[in-house]
Amino acid sequence: MLRYPLIHPPLLGALARAGHGSVVLLADGNYPYATAVAPAAETIWLNLRPGQIPVDDVLETLLGVVPVEAARVMATETGEEPDVYERFRELLPGTPLQPLSRTDFYATARGPELAVAVATGEQRLYANILLTLGVVNAS
């Protein structure tokens, strides 16, 4: 048994295969996984039912496992910020959220840098985030 905050074997394996500069998508239950995820990316299905598992719970867990150097979010068409952005900021202090239009967000998620896509049952709209992995400094 693992004594680690993340115990999901396929997600651990996918993250282990990703490296510096790789991108991880955490997406809500409305995300078009069939058409807006890079073909080579590994999709991890955590969407058990609507509302389970929320994106911010997945983000909080991942931050105990991987370093993040950049974060991009899907901007609303009106420019209003969804409430979930505040939670992202709490979890990623010092890492600004870079908003991308829906079209640009999908294009980035289809790009070759996307290593892992995590499907959640998140019901909040625009609860999608692209994380660029950083480096682990040797100590």
Side-chain angles (χ1 to χ4, degrees), residues 14 18-19 21-27 31 33 36-43 72 105-118 129-133:
S22 293
V23 174
V24 174
L25 167 67
L26 306 181
Y31 196 84
Y33 299 96
V37 170
E42 187 168 350
T43 300
R72 291 167 280 186
F105 192 95
Y106 289 160
T108 302
R110 288 185 193 105
E113 292 81 20
L114 189 76
V116 183
V118 180
I129 188 166
L130 290 163
L131 307 169
T132 302
L133 300 183

Side-chain angles (χ1 to χ4, degrees), residues 37-119:
V37 170
E42 187 168 350
T43 300
I44 305 296
W45 303 99
L46 298 181
N47 51 345
L48 177 64
R49 66 180 189 186
Q52 298 280 321
I53 299 172
V55 166
D56 49 335
D57 283 358
V58 177
L59 175 58
E60 185 174 19
T61 302
L62 289 187
L63 293 173
V65 179
V66 295
V68 172
E69 68 180 27
R72 291 167 280 186
V73 293
M74 184 184 291
T76 66
E77 293 176 15
T78 65
E80 290 183 50
E81 282 200 357
D83 293 340
V84 71
Y85 284 17
E86 186 58 36
R87 181 67 177 140
F88 290 164
R89 285 190 184 95
E90 288 173 13
L91 293 169
L92 294 162
T95 303
L97 300 180
Q98 178 188 357
L100 299 176
S101 70
R102 180 189 317 241
T103 303
D104 289 342
F105 192 95
Y106 289 160
T108 302
R110 288 185 193 105
E113 292 81 20
L114 189 76
V116 183
V118 180

